Amino acid sequence: DQQVKQNSPSLSVQEGRISILNCDYTNSMFDYFLWYKKYPAEGPTFLISISSIKDKNEDGRFTVFLNKSAKHLSLHIVPSQPGDSAVYFCAASAKNDYKLSFGAGTTVTVRA
Amino acid sequence: EPEVTQTPSHQVTQMGQEVILRCVPISNHLYFYWYRQILGQKVEFLVSFYNNEISEKSEIFDDQFSVERPDGSNFTLKIRSTKLEDSAMYFCASRRDRARNTEAFFGQGTRLTVV
């Protein structure tokens, strides 16, 4: 089951620069997308979400972009901070389906 | 801030033994989930639970798995006869309601090691 794919297992970025995390999905029934952040020894923490009726959602330093035609979404973190170093999971759910399908995660390392 | 708590944080068990993983969801939440993450792999859905019954389960959630909400606060995952491949991080999650924009809160996880 590879309905949600995060093809980059890791990303290293300089503090203050932009981090761009990518996510692709195959299930055309997905209409709600979320990003979760996970620190070691902790559970995933909700970060930001977007409904398929939108193409952008912004919350502080975090912006999620959705390109439905390409079945692609991305998370932008600007500016990146050392505390952003974590694993980021892309997740999706379909209408009338309340479970989340997760990607494999991208480990972000923000260098000082 | 309310949180989902899971116990134990780490459980080591012998193959073939039964284990019970415990979760205390956030008190006013109505929907409960178990997910697992095998080391190096993605987080996988196991089961969702609402109104004292399973609402959905994945193909992973076979007859050796069961869930229960025995006392209105705890939400448990039982694995009857553990196998080596059950070794994973198990996450409990809860949601206040089923509205699409209601986030799921995850516990810190239980690391299950089957030897």
Side-chain angles (χ1 to χ4, degrees):
Chain A
D1 177 6
Q2 293 289 318
Q3 297 188 83
V4 179
K5 299 179 188 179
Q6 292 177 258
N7 292 319
S8 297
S10 63
L11 172 70
S12 180
V13 64
Q14 191 84 33
E15 181 179 2
R17 299 291 191 99
I18 183 171
S19 294
I20 299 176
L21 291 82
N22 294 303
C23 177
D24 298 292
Y25 61 96
T26 56
N27 188 342
S28 58
M29 300 302 291
F30 286 150
D31 67 346
Y32 197 71
F33 305 90
L34 310 90
W35 285 94
Y36 278 81
K37 177 179 178 179
K38 184 183 178 305
Y39 292 117
E42 295 184 13
T45 304
F46 171 77
L47 197 56
I48 192 169
S49 63
I50 188 167
S51 163
S52 61
I53 61 173
K54 293 186 173 183
D55 54 18
K56 177 182 174 181
N57 188 26
E58 191 172 351
D59 183 2
R61 295 186 298 114
F62 302 92
T63 303
V64 56
F65 296 92
L66 175 63
N67 182 334
K68 288 189 292 294
S69 60
K71 293 192 175 68
H72 177 84
L73 64 154
S74 62
L75 174 69
H76 291 207
I77 307 173
V78 183
S80 300
Q81 299 174 353
D84 296 330
S85 295
V87 180
Y88 290 78
F89 291 100
C90 173
S93 69
K95 192 174 182 180
N96 298 322
D97 183 3
Y98 298 90
K99 69 177 184 292
L100 296 174
S101 295
F102 283 86
T106 297
T107 301
V108 172
T109 303
V110 180
R111 307 185 309 272
Chain B
E1 186 176 313
E3 58 181 16
V4 176
T5 56
Q6 290 184 243
T7 54
S9 56
H10 191 186
Q11 172 111 30
V12 181
T13 189
Q14 292 221 321
M15 191 169 56
Q17 295 295 303
E18 174 183 287
V19 293
I20 297 177
L21 310 183
R22 301 180 193 281
C23 169
V24 179
I26 295 172
S27 62
N28 62 343
H29 285 193
L30 301 176
Y31 292 86
F32 314 111
Y33 305 82
W34 283 101
Y35 289 81
R36 79 172 185 190
Q37 184 181 25
I38 295 171
L39 187 64
Q41 298 185 25
K42 64 178 182 177
V43 177
E44 300 173 293
F45 168 76
L46 292 179
V47 65
S48 60
F49 191 86
Y50 168 70
N51 201 25
N52 283 321
E53 61 182 22
I54 290 173
S55 47
E56 188 175 358
K57 59 183 180 179
S58 72
E59 62 273 11
I60 302 168
F61 195 88
D62 61 23
D63 290 345
Q64 70 160 341
F65 290 91
S66 62
V67 289
E68 199 176 34
R69 191 158 157 79
D71 56 11
S73 63
N74 290 287
F75 177 51
T76 61
L77 173 69
K78 183 192 289 187
I79 310 175
R80 261 178 273 283
S81 177
T82 50
K83 302 192 279 278
L84 294 176
E85 54 264 38
D86 294 328
S87 295
M89 197 76 170
Y90 288 80
F91 293 106
C92 172
S94 70
R95 296 173 72 174
R96 188 183 69 237
D97 55 51
R98 294 186 91 181
R100 300 301 300 283
N101 60 351
T102 304
E103 66 177 277
F105 290 83
F106 284 78
Q108 82 281 15
T110 292
R111 180 171 298 284
L112 176 66
T113 303
V114 182
V115 297

